Amino acid sequence: MEAQPTAAHAIETVFRLESPRVVAGVARIVRDLGIAEELAQDALVAALERWPRDGVPDNPGAWLMATARHRAVDLVRRRETYSRKLAEMGRDLETTAPPEEPADPEDIDDDLLRLVFTTCHPVLSPEARTALTLRLLGGLTTAEIARAYLVPEPTVAQRIVRAKKTLATKNVAFEVPCGPDREARLGSVLDVIYLIFNEGYAATAGDDLLRPGLCEDALRLARVLSALMPKEPEVHALTSLLEFQASRTAARTGPDGTPVLLKDQNRRRWSRMLIARGIRALGRADATATGAPGPYALQAAIAACHAHAYTYEETDWRTIATLYGLLAARAPSPVVELNRAVAVSMAEGPAEGLKLVDALTAETALRDYHLLPSVRGDLLARLGRTAEAREEFARAAELTRNERERQLLIAKQHSLPGQ
């Protein structure tokens, strides 16, 4: 009786880890992500039927891949319109052994890289890219994605279905683009991974500040991409940035989930292992760079400054302010300017930071961004302008959709003297 739950647990674990590679391998044969996912699910059903009875295979990932590929070949055979293609492809598929599990975790088939670039194709909206990437590469269910982004499950399901249909109707090739097309698409790939991580690191809405599962999925995708594209500095830079950010996770909330500000965090709880990984990844980014550092390299360098400071007081704010200045020139953004203002306030005083923040109050993009009044409130409080600071914290609390952040902002408001 113990074989059933053991096999079921193994199937769930293996499929979550291996489904991206299975979908990618099958998609190369059928050239349709929707059909590829269905065939991967068919392989899962076969595992559910056989593994409890026959035992878990020694190489479960290869078993799933072989089963899905054989079903893909059968499907291609049944399609009369694919007869010529089958004649060219079939002999190779019949004589080629199923792929083995990679001996080295970084030795991953190029099919996975094709899948990453396909799910992040610019014909899809950012929301669709994120949902499809999480579904096919993150291994998340539709319900899990819906919970992560606090949207109805049918909405996520529609996004995924439409995304697959769009890729099919637009005849998007299942390939890694070359030259300028690859460079243009890579930015989208990195942005989607970063977006997924950020949603886990500081949830937009809901009762929890963190969603660790999303952070883990994004970090895993970044590490995979680094292994697949070892000569791309921005890929290593993004991986470095996420390693550094993830290293602080344990210290960012208290036992009850209350947010802990950077200056109050117990840095002994920061993961030195992840920091070391971040340093190595940043070194790879520097070693492969041929020109000026890209946006992710600059952000990783900023994160490295925080990681190297054993106390908040040791933080090299002048270097951070300089790096934000370079980032603002490389990738202009009101949010970057707001972060630069914070760094300047720490390096040169709150009055200098407030000048920069006040210049951003007219920015349309920041009109409903809760961190603008939050930062302004902090600077006003440091200058002793407590009445104005209270107003800013109250406005920030009204704007945020995250309950934990709202509670923190209200607490700041009430902690100011002169209530």
Side-chain angles (χ1 to χ4, degrees), residues 258-332:
T258 302
V260 179
L261 299 175
L262 180 64
K263 66 182 180 66
D264 299 322
Q265 289 176 16
N266 180 356
R267 300 195 175 204
R268 286 176 294 181
R269 299 192 68 198
W270 287 9
S271 170
R272 306 316 299 183
M273 179 192 71
L274 291 179
I275 289 174
R277 292 186 67 126
I279 292 170
R280 288 196 296 271
L282 186 56
R284 287 192 291 269
D286 291 339
T288 53
T290 56
Y296 287 115
L298 290 169
Q299 291 180 75
I302 291 168
C305 287
H306 289 294
H308 285 303
Y310 284 94
T311 65
Y312 185 75
E313 291 70 26
E314 293 177 44
T315 307
D316 187 352
W317 289 108
R318 290 193 180 278
T319 296
I320 292 174
T322 299
L323 289 168
Y324 269 122
L326 294 173
L327 181 60
R330 184 74 169 78

Side-chain angles (χ1 to χ4, degrees), residues 138-156:
L140 274 68
T141 65
T142 303
E144 288 171 331
I145 299 170
R147 284 198 301 271
Y149 285 92
L150 300 178
V151 296
E153 188 174 343
T155 300
V156 173

Side-chain angles (χ1 to χ4, degrees), residues 36 61 78 141 164 171 186 251 255 300 321 368 393:
R78 290 196 300 268
T141 65
K164 289 188 243 184
N171 293 317
L186 180 59
D368 298 321
F393 288 138

